[in-house]
Amino acid sequence: MKNQRSVKEITYHFGGKVVIVTGSARGIGRVMVKGFVEAGAQVVAADRDMEGLEKTCEPYGDKVAAVISDISNPSDANKIVDLAMDRFNGLDVCVNNAAVAPHTALLEERFEVWDKVYASNCRGTFLMTQAAAKAMIKQSRAGRIINFSSGVSQRGSPGTAAYASSRAAIESFSRVAAIELAPYNILVNTVSPGLIDTQPKPLPKNMAMNLKARIPTLPLARPGEPEEVANVVLFLASSASSYITGAVIVVDGGSGIGIRLTNSVVDDDPRYFWVTGKSCSS
Ligand SMILES: NC(=O)c1ccc[n+]([C@@H]2O[C@H](COP(=O)([O-])OP(=O)(O)OC[C@H]3O[C@@H](n4cnc5c(N)ncnc54)[C@H](O)[C@@H]3O)[C@@H](O)[C@H]2O)c1
């Protein structure tokens, strides 16, 4: 079968646009920085991990400005937006990708960890959305804000009480932001990935065991690639999505709708023989 993932029919043009990507020291964030730079944008790449951030930015020279920052801290959120304004003279797109997802059993959850998850995942997205929107409004330029959720926001997944609920909060927050910022031509959408291949390599033992059991049950029987999420973010940042706001775009290979079909569909329920025309002998 042809690998659909390697086919690139769409080329985006972000020349003259300024984009912030938070959480860009690894994973989906790193790939989004690459995608935006290759499409001609100037990018502010933000993360609290200096080493990873340097690795992300190194190939792109002055097209990318890196900023070590913790988005849960109000002055750092402002610092990220100020850097876009000062270095690149504007801000068009803010991608609030940074988040943490530690897993803990509910009965062992500690409020200190819970608060840290919410500080990064909720307060951070709020602070970045507010700072970015204020800058966009001040410069009278239409804008895009793209927030991140997760498939676990919609289903019960053990160990994710803090993470899953913090991601669900972002969907709700983004709907409010979309309504309040629409008069300024700022569109706010949320991307909700399923399982994406960003986990540390080699995989920690427990994570390896869980993924080995889970991956065959995914409708496409594979994790998504970070590029497959970045593609959707580029679309949401582009003029092609000019009538989409307040939406949650799911990028999960179907994992939110069901599990992979592993045997053929056979209806041998005798209650419906009168419907299907089957009989006990067929
Ligand atoms: N990978 C998946 O399977 C998956 C599934 C569903 C949703 N998501 C969502 O996609 C996004 C990216 O996921 P990923 O797997 O690439 O994540 P990742 O853990 O690989 O990378 C996240 C980056 O964000 C940074 N970060 C976290 N908190 C920060 C803070 N307070 N300030 C600054 N930087 C901070 C980290 O240092 C890290 O570099 C997240 O919002 C996540 O919730 C991922």
Side-chain angles (χ1 to χ4, degrees):
M1 200 195 302
K2 195 169 176 187
N3 181 359
Q4 293 293 321
R5 286 167 273 165
S6 64
V7 179
K8 274 233 178 221
E9 298 96 346
I10 301 170
T11 310
Y12 291 101
H13 303 281
F14 288 104
K17 302 281 184 196
V18 182
V19 179
I20 290 172
V21 180
T22 69
S24 48
R26 65 182 317 287
I28 299 168
R30 175 174 286 170
V31 173
M32 289 192 291
V33 169
K34 179 173 188 280
F36 277 114
V37 172
E38 285 177 355
Q42 291 170 301
V43 178
V44 172
D47 206 291
R48 53 192 299 288
D49 165 13
M50 185 166 71
E51 208 179 309
L53 196 55
E54 277 171 5
K55 207 168 154 196
T56 297
C57 300
E58 195 263 316
Y60 310 119
D62 59 8
K63 288 182 187 131
V64 175
V67 52
I68 309 297
S69 44
D70 180 341
I71 53 156
S72 66
N73 177 333
S75 61
D76 278 15
N78 287 328
K79 185 169 81 177
I80 298 168
V81 172
D82 287 348
L83 182 62
M85 304 302 285
D86 296 344
R87 184 77 62 87
F88 299 130
N89 297 314
L91 178 61
D92 299 282
V93 180
C94 180
V95 185
N96 295 317
N97 160 76
V100 290
H103 282 53
T104 315
L106 174 61
L107 299 179
E108 283 152 26
E109 186 88 57
R110 287 182 292 126
F111 75 85
E112 298 90 339
V113 176
W114 177 282
D115 285 352
K116 274 192 190 164
V117 172
Y118 267 70
S120 283
N121 297 7
C122 293
R123 190 204 301 164
T125 295
F126 149 64
L127 290 171
M128 286 303 303
T129 299
Q130 190 185 57
K134 281 183 177 173
M136 288 166 181
I137 292 166
K138 204 166 159 193
Q139 67 187 350
S140 306
R141 210 144 119 182
R144 301 294 169 91
I145 294 172
I146 299 159
N147 293 331
F148 268 69
S149 177
S150 164
V152 294
S153 66
Q154 303 299 314
R155 60 187 155 82
S157 176
T160 67
Y163 175 64
S165 58
S166 75
R167 300 285 72 184
I170 291 305
E171 296 185 14
S172 179
F173 167 76
S174 301
R175 280 189 285 271
V176 175
I179 290 290
E180 291 199 23
L181 298 177
Y184 303 100
N185 274 326
I186 299 171
L187 308 185
V188 184
N189 290 293
T190 305
V191 171
S192 177
L195 178 65
I196 308 299
D197 185 13
T198 65
Q199 292 71 31
K201 307 286 182 317
L203 283 169
K205 198 169 142 211
N206 198 47
M207 199 178 245
M209 216 168 63
N210 289 340
L211 289 180
K212 197 172 167 208
R214 184 167 172 225
I215 289 169
T217 71
L218 301 174
L220 296 178
R222 66 169 178 87
E225 293 170 12
E227 289 77 7
E228 292 175 295
V229 180
N231 286 342
V232 175
V233 171
L234 288 174
F235 165 71
L236 287 173
S238 78
S239 57
S241 64
S242 51
Y243 205 54
I244 302 177
T245 194
V248 179
I249 311 290
V250 173
V251 191
D252 71 349
S255 60
I257 54 162
I259 58 169
R260 188 171 178 82
L261 181 69
T262 48
N263 50 12
S264 47
V265 178
V266 178
D267 187 354
D268 52 4
D269 185 336
R271 288 176 300 173
Y272 307 122
F273 284 170
W274 67 274
V275 179
T276 59
K278 288 182 183 169
S279 65
C280 288
S281 54
S282 61

